[in-house]
Amino acid sequence: MVKSTQGYPKHSVTLSVIGTGYVGLVTSACLANKGHSVICVDILRDKVSEINSGHAPFYEPGLDNLLAKVVGEGRLRATLDLEEAVLNSSVTIITVGTLTKDDHIDLSEVLTAVRQVALAITKKAAYHVIAIKSTVAPGTTDTIVMEILENVLGEKEDEAFGLCMNPEFLREGFALADFQRPDRIVIGTMDTKSFNSFLPLYQWADCPIIRTNLRTAEMIKYASNALLATLISYSNEIASISEGIGGIDIRDVFNGVHLDQRWTPFPNRKPASVERIRPGILSYLWPGCGYGGSCLPKDVQALRTHASTHGIETPLLDATISINAGQPRKMVLWAKQALGNLRQKKLTVLGLSFKPDTDDLRESPAITLVTELIREGARITVSDPKAMKVAAEGPLKGKKVRFVVNPREAIRGAHAVFLVTSWPEFKTLSKEDFLSLMATPCVIDGRLFFDGTNLKENGIIYFSCGGG
Ligand code: NAD
């Protein structure tokens, strides 16, 4: 069922948000900016203090400014005290992490938070709505979550609580724009009262609002992410076939695919000379060193495992995952093809975050690549405009890696350079830089980022997906 907020009562809500990660904090700041009062909760003391001082604990463009504004206006505060936050709000959104454990989705954070929220609700008389925004497998909210709520709060007929499933589609790097100008809002609900109590949060939204049952809302999120991952792995398989055949310009191949007007429509059916609409989906129809981040890898894996527990085979998802896993390894093989044994070779990895405009390193192909290169005995230098601190304190902690801010300095003396993240900062590297600064001018381009033809014509060894 598709609805808009037209005709529904408009009022501001006091809500609590449990978990102040990318989703929780962006949700909190944006809803506060839209006029609601938000109390966000985390278990990490430092995070809570940083938020209360108006600073974001991670990098997301625009978030620091927005947070300073809404904290300054008194519309957002953070606390360690979940019970106090629930008692002082009428809606609670759960945005804690859902990692993968043994290929299954790990629901422990979600279920702990649900239990804590339910216990807090027992101490209040008024109706309270709980919404799950964390990504969970279809059939989680209406079974496991509902069971916890009913155990703690009694049967739902008592109407002590409402339950919604409100998946989030924001993209890191574009999170504020995505949240504040959404293309759709999905609200899965257990009943009409839950829906009507939750909807005012989105009274400002000018987009379709899809009301579904709880498990359909969960599936919309997985279906969306599985499609994006599949497009990327499809592109990588086309690139591998092109590499094997040889003599194919992979950029022309994908530009040719994109020019199908079903991907790039003409505005208002104008003549062919008119510039096409280039939807964002095209960036998923482009080969590279693989998808990463906190969502696609774990969500595709979780959907596959969840399907298999229902006895359902998933040949397409299996292939998507296996193609993606092989992409960083391909870059290592290209380096060996160019340099032979990689032991003691100086190798530079440009880009650590899983994509530009974020410092998120979760499941980043760059981390897989660096780990493989270290295993090969290479000497590694890395450079990233935003993610080096997170890397040094996180996945690369204790590893023998040199961190260098300036890309020119980072490639000095290198035997090969790997481009993994398309940060615009790396576009400033020229063929002259590769030729004059590197020990061997060898560029392994994981994103079809540089002009390969130009580099090759100037004597630079160049590898990329599809041989482009
Ligand atoms: P995250 O790991 O960055 O943040 C989770 C936060 O929850 C952490 O700060 C953690 O300390 C806190 N937390 C855990 N248990 C808690 C508890 N009991 N009480 C209070 N705080 C608690 O996670 P994220 O990237 O924001 O993702 C959250 C969910 O949203 C996941 O299910 C994810 O799949 C989904 N999602 C993420 C994105 C994205 O781009 N990151 C996009 C859409 C959906």
Side-chain angles (χ1 to χ4, degrees), residues 26 60-61 170-180 355-357:
V26 169
E60 176 61 37
L170 63 78
R171 297 163 299 164
E172 287 177 21
F174 304 90
L176 298 195
D178 283 352
F179 194 94
Q180 296 185 99
K355 65 174 188 175
D357 274 327

Side-chain angles (χ1 to χ4, degrees), residues 18-23 41-44 47 95-98 109 116 134-135 168 170 172 221 294-295 298 362:
I18 315 299
T20 61
Y22 283 86
V23 169
V41 183
D42 210 288
I43 45 176
L44 303 175
K47 246 184 172 180
T95 56
V96 297
T98 44
E109 282 191 12
Q116 290 169 337
S134 302
T135 305
E168 183 50 58
L170 63 78
E172 287 177 21
K221 175 65 188 173
S294 68
C295 289
K298 91 171 163 58
R362 290 177 284 184

Side-chain angles (χ1 to χ4, degrees), residues 59-198:
Y59 176 70
E60 176 61 37
L63 184 57
D64 240 5
N65 286 344
L66 185 63
L67 209 51
K69 175 176 176 274
V70 292
V71 170
E73 291 167 349
R75 278 186 282 126
L76 182 147
R77 66 179 170 88
T79 176
L80 292 163
D81 188 344
L82 182 143
E83 184 179 293
E84 177 266 316
V86 173
L87 292 179
N88 286 302
S89 58
S90 59
V91 174
T92 297
I93 306 182
I94 294 179
T95 56
V96 297
T98 44
L99 300 175
T100 306
K101 197 173 169 190
D102 303 330
D103 290 346
H104 283 80
I105 184 167
D106 179 1
L107 290 174
S108 54
E109 282 191 12
V110 173
L111 301 185
T112 302
V114 169
R115 211 166 284 119
Q116 290 169 337
V117 172
L119 286 170
I121 294 174
T122 59
K123 300 193 176 163
K124 66 185 282 195
Y127 178 78
H128 196 97
V129 177
I130 303 131
I132 308 293
K133 201 181 245 310
S134 302
T135 305
V136 295
T140 301
T141 308
D142 62 5
T143 57
I144 311 173
V145 170
M146 180 70 91
E147 206 177 296
I148 294 174
L149 294 174
E150 287 183 345
N151 281 343
V152 179
L153 295 164
E155 290 293 313
K156 62 179 182 294
E157 280 76 21
D158 294 347
E159 295 213 332
F161 67 92
L163 181 59
C164 297
M165 203 291 144
N166 174 222
E168 183 50 58
F169 301 97
L170 63 78
R171 297 163 299 164
E172 287 177 21
F174 304 90
L176 298 195
D178 283 352
F179 194 94
Q180 296 185 99
R181 285 195 300 280
D183 28 42
R184 79 288 211 194
I185 290 167
V186 175
I187 305 177
T189 61
M190 76 178 200
D191 56 22
T192 300
K193 189 172 177 188
S194 309
F195 180 71
N196 288 347
S197 307
F198 190 68

